[in-house]
Amino acid sequence: MSGLPILSLITFLPLLGALLIAVLPSSDPNLVRRTALGTALATWALSLVLLVAFALGQAGFQFKETADWIPSFGIQYKLGADGLSLLMVVLTTTLTWISILASFGPIKDRVKGYMVSFLVLEVGMIGVFLALDLFLFYIFWEIVLVPMYLIIGIWGGANRIYATMKFVLYTLVGSLLMLVAILATAFTYQAAHAGSWAGAFDYEKLQAFAAAGSFGHDFQLLAFLALFLAFAIKVPMFPFHTWLPDAHTEAPTAGSVILAGVLLKLGAYGLIRFAVPLYPFAAHTFAWPIIVLSVIAIVYGAIVSIVQPDLKRLVAYSSVSHMGFVTLGIFVFTATALQGAILQMISHGLITGGLFLLVGVVYERTHDRSIAKMGGLAATMPLWSTVFGFFILASAGLPGLSGFVGEFLVFVGSFTYAPGIALASIVVMVLAATYLLWMFQRVAFGTVSDFLRGLGDHVTDMSRAEFATLAPLAALIVLFGLFPSLILDFLHGPVQTFLAAAGAAVGG
Amino acid sequence: MNWSDVGTLAPIVIAVLTAAAVLVVDFAAPGRRAPAIAAALVGLTVVALVVLSLAGHTETAFGGAYVVDGLTAFLDLLFVAIAALTILFANDYLEPRGLPIAEFAAVLIFAITGAMLIAGSADLLLLFVALELMVLPGYLLAGFARNDPYSTEGAIKYFLLGSFSSAILLFGLAYVWGLTGSTRVTDVAAALARVATTGSIAPGLAMGLAFMTAGVAFKMAAVPFHYWTPDAYQGSPTPVTAYLSVGPKIGAFAIALRLFVAALGPLKADWLPIVIVLAALTMTLGNLVAITQDNVKRMLAYSSIAHTGYILVGLAAYAGGQHSGISAILFYGAAYTFMNMGAFAVVTALQRRPGVSSQISTFAGLGRRDPWLAALMTLFLLSLTGIPPLAGFWAKAYVIVAAIQAGGWLTALAVLAMLNAAAAAFYYLRVVVYMYMREPAEAAAPLSPGLLFRVGLAVTGVVTLVFGLFPAILNVVSNAADVLKG
């Protein structure tokens, strides 16, 4: 490995861009926009370099960087990537530049603050996926919160203040309890090592400690619950999902894209990386209730989606349903299901991100998102309707596209575990087709609605720039749908590690 | 008394001389504000330098009644910083209202002298005298805007309840003196250690403990002894409120360290339950009431009650057997000083024009009116909420670490503290909502704070960030805390 601290570079390059933007004159919004896009593209390029440099066959974390931060408590600045974190980082960097590009038109007010928030947000998100010190992880986790709070609250829709406060309070309650659990975990480790703080927050050391069955069962139950609550709120799992529809609906388009594409994945990533491997006994103890909640989320999200009158709200509730497959895939503890869950995380990020972008395109022209007012868009916006149809089919799980592979693998993986559960969740594929295609029919087909007719020339088809934000997503959806091994190749190591760690409970 | 005593007392002597010098300068150049401010700031700088030069070794004066050690030095520096920042912020508020700065600075420095004396008290009697020296000027400051009925009302409430609580504390001290036969902290601790081993404590001692707890709880504004706080804070001129929210509070915690930790340490198992209950009540009630406030000064007053609760968690952790609770208290005190004074400074800047209220609506659209001020206020509020990587986050983290290490009921207290922190986000972020997400009510002009004011703001902002990014500064604090290791 070369001496270049490439992970730190990727993590903090956006911060550098944000600082640069902060000193640019606010009188030239185009310069600000271009600098932000340039930074995001550079970060993206770096993350692709990482993808190439990553040694596939190797187990464990690569590109590791370690430095002491607060020696008196053994807190380190420690970064590292395995296949899972790598894929998540690339998903983040990809969606970030797309979101920034998609914000060029819609965001006209306080462009500087917006772009700075977005780049700081990227720092937090990448940091969460790369941190190998629990304390550092927590700090990045909280850093994500503030810019998203500002993005929804300042550049959001009419009810933005309510939505953003709800988002912050839900997330904070979870994350502060997580802090207590992290500290308690570190203290347990410290007490077992003759009071030495060295390594007490180090993920790899803690995981080895947990694999040896050294965390007591009662302790595991409490600590797991605290971490689980934090992650379940972020995913969001039923019944902690109520912040999501509000946040999604009120956020500006790019905010929704990142929220659905990356922020929800933070929760799932936390479950895979921390909650299960560190507290395997508790994870097994609570597996059934969590599986039941996941199935409820899958079915409930789909049913509620059917009756949503607002395009964004519909996509938001469909996220609850799709993310249910992810948590289901994690907690049945089979290799196939976990692979499916991770594939679903990525594919959901691409598909839902695209759907939000497409809704944003219509909103830019009509300043409305209600399904009832639309109709006949296929006639006025043919290109948009075609692309929208593609993403709808991808979301509904059309074979050959990435959404299908993820859900199918979760289905197969959980079938060996509990056939009933798997069958219940597969019924949802029918429901998904129902709400998505019905919505598509009402929006795109039929005669042009009076509302749209009234807007006249404003309803123009998608511009080339807007298409440019969607084309890469569509390409990736097809690519991963046809060649899921592109992703799965990265996952052998992480999946084996996860199953080994989760299996430790059976022995202990 | 001999000359070496004077050497040990040098910081306090110089502080008193500074206060006198400010008055003399004002007398020599009447009506001019700059010389008085300069005299005060130069004097305080000298005090800080002298404290630093004395730091590193322990010295006593007056036969052991006054002690200069690492803890004294740390608290002295903190108090000097509080005084200097208050003076930097005050002129922008006092000048437009025609209030004198020289008297203000002199009275303030007298109060700080008292606080510094508390920090070094190793004798119960000296502790009490020092406390009175700290709080009496505080009453004057609270009523400094003498034509403002709210200011007068706040000052009277503060004075009545303050004297009352001082009397209660003195009563408690008398009991302890009666039952241990000494006012010297080390002798009291030794006598109590003998009592503690026998198992049961005498009713008289229990009474003394109860009175002292109530007295100190009044001073730190812990629930249910907090009623004077909101009125005194809201009525006082804003720079005074900034001072009151940190100076006397940290002074009260200095008493707690010198009295409860040093003198009553042997009985800590007996006062632990009381502190746990006080901490739980204080942070929960402070936060819940703060949520309902529409006046930012009043909101910050209740928030300061909540922070008292978090600091008390550190004291409880100490009583639960974790010495790191002490360093957590000290770090919290330092972090809280800078972020809270910064937040009050922004309120002061908004109120520069007389007649502007501190209602939350005055913050509407501050993000457009003055982006820098709004950004700094956001920084302070996020730090008060406890978002990393800012000073307030580490303050909470250290308190929580100590509490979780102590275990038992204290783990539950740590969880309660975190839930409170989440609730607190609501009212802190509400101000951010007004600053960035609402438009200003009228076409308000940009604020133009004075040069001194900007220096003060820069200092508080930088410290809030630096404490956050380099929390290893805690080592300094834990060295100071080691003084109290029995």
Side-chain angles (χ1 to χ4, degrees), chain B residues 55-440:
Chain B
H57 45 93
T58 304
E59 281 181 52
T60 56
F62 304 116
Y66 180 80
V67 55
V68 173
D69 52 24
L71 181 65
T72 317
F74 177 81
L75 288 170
D76 280 357
L77 286 178
L78 192 55
F79 288 128
V80 169
I82 291 171
L85 284 172
T86 309
I87 292 170
L88 287 176
F89 293 137
N91 196 39
D92 263 26
Y93 186 92
L94 299 177
E95 190 168 13
R97 288 166 176 76
L99 294 168
I101 185 79
E103 282 92 329
F104 180 87
V107 172
L108 179 71
I109 293 171
F110 278 127
I112 285 302
T113 312
M116 288 165 65
L117 207 51
I118 293 177
S121 289
D123 186 284
L124 300 185
L125 218 52
L126 181 62
L127 199 64
F128 182 75
V129 174
L131 172 70
E132 286 306 290
L133 179 55
M134 176 181 77
V135 293
L136 284 173
Y139 307 141
L140 285 182
L141 290 174
F144 204 71
R146 47 187 188 279
N147 294 327
D148 178 356
Y150 289 107
S151 179
T152 316
E153 182 197 333
I156 287 178
K157 278 187 183 162
Y158 186 29
F159 171 68
L160 287 177
L161 287 171
S163 338
F164 182 58
S165 61
S166 295
I168 290 179
L169 178 67
L170 187 59
F171 204 48
L173 292 177
Y175 268 102
V176 172
W177 172 68
L179 287 162
T180 60
S182 173
T183 57
R184 202 52 49 87
V185 162
T186 42
D187 297 344
V188 172
L192 291 180
R194 283 194 297 278
V195 176
T197 48
T198 62
S200 64
I201 61 170
L205 202 53
M207 290 269 283
L209 206 55
F211 280 126
M212 283 189 304
T213 311
V216 174
F218 256 114
K219 299 294 178 198
M220 39 172 93
V223 176
F225 305 103
H226 66 286
Y227 285 102
W228 58 273
T229 324
D231 290 325
Y233 281 20
Q234 192 185 355
S236 300
T238 310
V240 176
T241 316
Y243 161 72
L244 289 180
S245 71
V246 291
K249 189 184 292 289
I250 292 169
F253 274 98
I255 298 181
L257 293 180
R258 289 292 183 195
L259 183 63
F260 282 78
V261 174
L264 304 178
L267 295 181
K268 63 187 176 190
D270 293 299
W271 51 263
L272 170 65
I274 307 172
V275 177
I276 290 183
V277 172
L278 274 182
L281 280 178
T282 305
M283 59 194 177
T284 309
L285 197 107
N287 273 322
L288 289 183
V289 182
I291 289 174
T292 63
Q293 301 303 317
D294 280 326
N295 183 300
V296 175
K297 264 166 90 173
R298 218 174 161 81
M299 181 273 273
L300 285 172
Y302 279 105
S303 114
S304 95
I305 294 174
H307 283 278
T308 301
Y310 303 136
I311 306 179
L312 280 172
V313 176
L315 190 62
Y318 162 77
Q322 286 302 322
H323 192 75
S324 58
I326 304 287
S327 34
I329 293 176
L330 294 178
F331 187 87
Y332 208 115
Y336 179 69
T337 296
F338 289 97
M339 62 195 182
N340 202 49
M341 290 203 79
F344 269 113
V346 176
V347 182
T348 312
L350 277 168
Q351 290 189 296
R352 190 169 182 215
R353 204 154 37 90
V356 177
S357 77
S358 51
Q359 286 303 112
I360 192 166
S361 52
T362 57
F363 280 81
L366 188 66
R368 281 192 203 282
R369 280 174 75 191
D370 197 326
W372 273 105
L373 213 54
L376 276 169
M377 186 67 174
T378 310
L379 180 84
F380 298 132
L381 290 169
L382 289 176
S383 181
L384 284 166
T385 314
I387 302 282
L390 300 169
F393 164 70
W394 293 104
K396 281 206 181 70
Y398 287 140
V399 167
I400 299 298
V401 169
I404 292 175
Q405 271 189 282
W409 279 101
L410 283 160
T411 313
L413 196 61
V415 171
L416 184 67
M418 288 292 96
L419 289 176
N420 265 296
F426 178 79
Y427 57 83
Y428 289 130
L429 293 183
R430 210 167 140 229
V431 180
V432 180
V433 164
Y434 271 83
M435 289 193 301
Y436 285 104
M437 305 171 197
R438 289 179 197 258
E439 297 305 316

Side-chain angles (χ1 to χ4, degrees), chain A residues 337-488:
Chain A
L338 184 64
Q339 286 173 338
I342 298 172
L343 228 156
Q344 172 78 347
M345 282 160 74
I346 294 167
S347 131
H348 174 262
L350 302 172
I351 297 173
T352 311
L355 285 173
F356 277 121
L357 286 174
L358 285 154
V359 174
V361 169
V362 172
Y363 184 76
E364 266 307 288
R365 288 154 177 74
T366 61
H367 294 283
D368 209 295
R369 292 185 305 258
S370 68
I371 299 173
K373 287 188 180 173
M374 304 295 161
L377 278 174
T380 46
M381 299 174 70
L383 177 60
W384 178 87
S385 300
T386 313
V387 180
F388 194 50
F390 171 83
F391 277 91
I392 290 280
L393 291 174
S395 184
L398 187 77
L401 302 178
S402 63
F404 171 76
V405 190
E407 289 179 15
F408 182 73
L409 285 177
V410 172
F411 168 65
V412 172
S414 51
F415 194 83
T416 56
Y417 186 86
I421 291 289
L423 285 176
S425 58
I426 213 71
V427 171
V428 168
M429 293 217 160
V430 181
L431 285 176
T434 312
Y435 66 78
L436 286 165
L437 293 177
W438 187 40
M439 178 264 279
F440 186 59
Q441 182 213 332
R442 283 179 290 167
V443 170
F445 300 145
T447 52
V448 179
S449 70
D450 294 341
F451 169 71
L452 292 174
R453 215 187 299 274
L455 291 169
D457 291 344
H458 286 291
V459 189
T460 51
D461 205 350
M462 221 153 79
S463 71
R464 216 178 287 170
E466 286 163 339
F467 185 72
T469 60
L470 285 155
L473 296 177
L476 288 173
I477 290 169
V478 175
L479 190 69
F480 296 147
L482 296 177
F483 307 104
S485 59
L486 287 176
I487 289 179
L488 297 179

Side-chain angles (χ1 to χ4, degrees), chain A residues 69-70 73 109-110 135 138-139 142 146 149 153-154 160-161 165 168-169 172-173 176-177 180 183 187 190, chain B residues 368 382 387-388 393-394 398 400-401 404-405 415 418 421-422 425-426 429-430 432-433 436-437 469 471 474:
Chain A
W69 190 18
I70 307 165
F73 282 110
D109 183 35
R110 296 193 248 191
F135 212 87
Y138 175 78
I139 286 176
E142 291 290 56
V146 178
Y149 159 76
I154 300 179
R160 60 186 189 274
I161 292 172
M165 283 309 243
V168 166
L169 292 180
L172 258 187
V173 168
L176 288 169
L177 291 179
V180 175
L183 294 174
F187 177 61
Q190 180 240 20
Chain B
R368 281 192 203 282
L382 289 176
I387 302 282
F393 164 70
W394 293 104
Y398 287 140
I400 299 298
V401 169
I404 292 175
Q405 271 189 282
V415 171
M418 288 292 96
F426 178 79
L429 293 183
R430 210 167 140 229
V432 180
V433 164
Y436 285 104
M437 305 171 197
L469 294 174
L474 183 79

